């Protein structure tokens, strides 16, 4: 089965998720610059989630680029990922509106962790379909980056009850791992993977 | 006429439907975990509808995959299906907000039933276009699964006035029929169709 | 320049327009069936607009199907059409919420009239690009159907101040012209065009 | 890497941005024509932003048309542009609701300026990828139009505190530069670029 429609549908859903988050930036009823102040945490939550969803779109793009066809199970693994991603606008808004408190920050991290797990399941279902010697299997490798991300999220959810800011720092850290192409950072975190092109 | 644009348009509409439902998860104004409690039925309604819309997208994908071209009547049969699907966010939110009461649960089932009928009409219009020996005609077969689903919905709408939970169980049951690839479950429900590849 | 991206962008915008209209069906806070009653005019407005937007998507689909390439001016003529279509959710909601009163009904018709004019301009810009002997020029013909629609809208806007229901009847009439493939209806309205395949 | 998916995703995001802005036209609760009056500045802000986003889509379309492939850095430069564009619905609504006051008008211009800068970065990242003799490098040229636009925005943001209307005039002026194909206007503003096909 052709992969173009699953790509188009995922693009559509991710495009909507990344865009409707901005609707949580409620328009102030005064023209004063001070009325923007309470929006700052909402805005920063939006920036963080925009980058997170951007990373997922980016990785999703690379993943399906390395794939030649799809089947029923992949469609559902993909919908499962889109489901968890679709909860991000809610958790982003809740975290932002409450000025970074423990419970919303933990729930935010929990949804990100589930996205990470769903992404892992999707990758596995594609590798099963394409075979252990396929381009996707090689690109995905042992996926230390993905596993470490899920682990950091799990720890961050617990740490959110100590201090929400530590959890936030963890989320920013995960974003960094995927964004920064600095090999040394990767080498410290992933040790053995040097010289191996990651999928992001 | 080429089928790619009807697929793209349907993907867009379904992607929006499946995503805007999450907007009904109204962000609580406190950071307390207890403020999530009243959202639980809204969330569960969302999960159910996400799966339902996912099944439709999946089936729509398979259906058009088996089709080589489209014509005017098909465009309208497709828009008719999208119309009923577009009412799902409304019925989902109404059902969720009212903590599973009879009328909203019945209306929810009614819209699903109309989606099922619209899907059947769309399949018929495609088969008429492609011919009785076409891939789509064979894949669609006698469509016992689709007919049974519509029947269950009709019964569930009536049963919602006895107990909304029975109706909910029916809806979950229909989702199961389409999701679970367990042949025995299918064999019990569909008896004669064994050995015949269903379109979902 | 390739036409696929202008089609994809138009599909996206039209898909969003047709779907966000449903957000105006505000979820009632009770589970009673009577709470749906005030939604009936909103719902009927939604049905009418869904059909109208559906007709535009259908015609847009056919129009670009007959076209081989596009240029700068066409992109703007297309955006102009999308602009007027994008106002439909607003006029639909205003008309529906006020239970069919003169001013909202007239404004609703005015926006539809502007959509009709914008569609005409888009068709002209495509014909200018493709030439008088092109498939698009032949399919579009003298466009009596389009011109009559715009005329009926103009009359309906005025009549809305006599009775909003007459205006509504006019809008439904225009939808009929485009929907019903009954040649006799067309022959009465369009007289000379018999035997000439219309673009819808 | 293929460019079709980055185009599709950008089309989706831009289609949503351009359409959700209309949701800020809050439906009045009366049917009176006077209830539309307070919406006039919101409507005019919408028209201006629709044209601005339309220009970006148009230029984005032309830019990627001249490009044959993309790479990781381009995906992020593109997401960076989409991020700033995604803030337009917020700034448009804030400016419109407050009837053109200094701070919202300045913030509106600031976001447009950041869009202009992000567009420039995206163009540079594409030129770096394709080479100095590529079609994109030639079409983009020295990009006087883009640089002048950013400069005008920067000046307009400051002038908004003198008079918001001067700033608005600047924004309309920038839209004119990109819309009006009148060579004389361009020649006055861009002097040396005559005979050189601009990308918009």
């Amino acid at each position: 089965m052709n992969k173009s429609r699953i790509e188009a549908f995922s693009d559509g859903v991710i495009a909507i998720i990344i865009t409707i988050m901005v609707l949580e930036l409620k328009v102030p009823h005064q023209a004063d610059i001070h009325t923007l102040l309470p929006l700052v945490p909402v805005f920063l939550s939006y920036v963080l989630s925009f980058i997170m969803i951007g990373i997922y779109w980016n990785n999703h793009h690379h993943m399906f680029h390395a794939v030649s066809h799809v089947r029923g199970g992949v469609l559902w693994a993909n919908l499962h990922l889109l489901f968890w991603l679709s909860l991000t606008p809610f958790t982003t808004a809740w975290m932002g509106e409450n000025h970074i408190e423990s419970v919303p920050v933990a729930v935010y991290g929990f949804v990100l962790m589930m996205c990470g797990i769903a992404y892992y399941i999707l990758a596995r279902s594609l590798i099963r379909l394409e075979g252990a010697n396929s381009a996707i299997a090689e690109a995905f490798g042992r996926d230390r980056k993905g596993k470490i991300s899920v682990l950091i999220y799990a720890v961050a959810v617990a740490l959110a009850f100590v201090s929400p800011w530590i959890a936030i720092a963890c989320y920013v850290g995960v974003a960094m791992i995927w964004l920064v192409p600095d090999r040394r950072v990767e080498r410290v975190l992933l040790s053995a993977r040097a010289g191996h092109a990651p999928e992001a």
Side-chain angles (χ1 to χ4, degrees), chain A residues 28-151:
Chain A
H29 295 299
Q30 274 95 44
D32 201 329
I33 191 83
H34 302 297
T35 61
L36 289 186
L37 269 182
L39 289 179
V40 169
V42 185
F43 179 72
L44 293 179
S45 303
Y46 174 58
V47 172
L48 181 60
S49 294
F50 192 97
I51 292 170
M52 290 297 190
I53 305 282
I55 289 168
Y56 272 102
W57 180 74
N58 227 319
N59 289 353
H60 194 274
H61 183 144
H62 282 82
M63 184 192 260
F64 276 85
H65 187 70
V67 154
S68 57
H69 62 294
V70 295
R71 221 181 281 163
V74 170
L75 300 188
W76 281 107
N78 192 55
L79 275 166
H80 179 236
L81 171 61
L82 295 178
F83 173 77
W84 288 107
L85 287 175
S86 81
L87 295 179
T88 320
F90 172 80
T91 56
T92 304
W94 199 35
M95 185 170 79
E97 258 195 32
N98 291 284
H99 300 194
I100 319 300
E101 287 191 40
S102 294
V103 178
V105 169
V107 171
Y108 182 84
F110 175 75
V111 167
L112 282 180
M113 188 184 72
M114 294 310 293
C115 291
I117 293 172
Y119 188 80
Y120 183 82
I121 294 171
L122 174 57
R124 284 294 133 202
S125 78
L126 282 167
I127 291 171
R128 212 176 309 124
L129 195 65
E130 299 260 318
N133 300 317
S134 61
I136 174 87
E138 203 181 318
F140 204 69
R142 275 180 296 173
D143 190 34
R144 291 200 191 186
K145 222 165 161 178
K147 283 176 192 161
I148 287 172
S149 301
V150 169
L151 196 71

Side-chain angles (χ1 to χ4, degrees), chain A residues 123-195:
Chain A
R124 284 294 133 202
S125 78
L126 282 167
I127 291 171
R128 212 176 309 124
L129 195 65
E130 299 260 318
N133 300 317
S134 61
I136 174 87
E138 203 181 318
F140 204 69
R142 275 180 296 173
D143 190 34
R144 291 200 191 186
K145 222 165 161 178
K147 283 176 192 161
I148 287 172
S149 301
V150 169
L151 196 71
I152 296 177
Y153 287 137
V155 171
V157 168
L159 287 176
F161 294 96
V162 180
S163 156
W165 289 104
I166 299 178
I168 297 280
C170 292
Y171 306 154
V172 172
V174 173
M176 293 295 219
I177 298 179
W178 292 96
L179 275 179
V180 180
D182 182 353
R183 294 259 163 231
R184 281 162 307 169
V185 174
E186 287 188 331
R187 214 170 295 147
V188 172
L189 283 162
L190 312 173
S191 61
R193 209 181 181 178

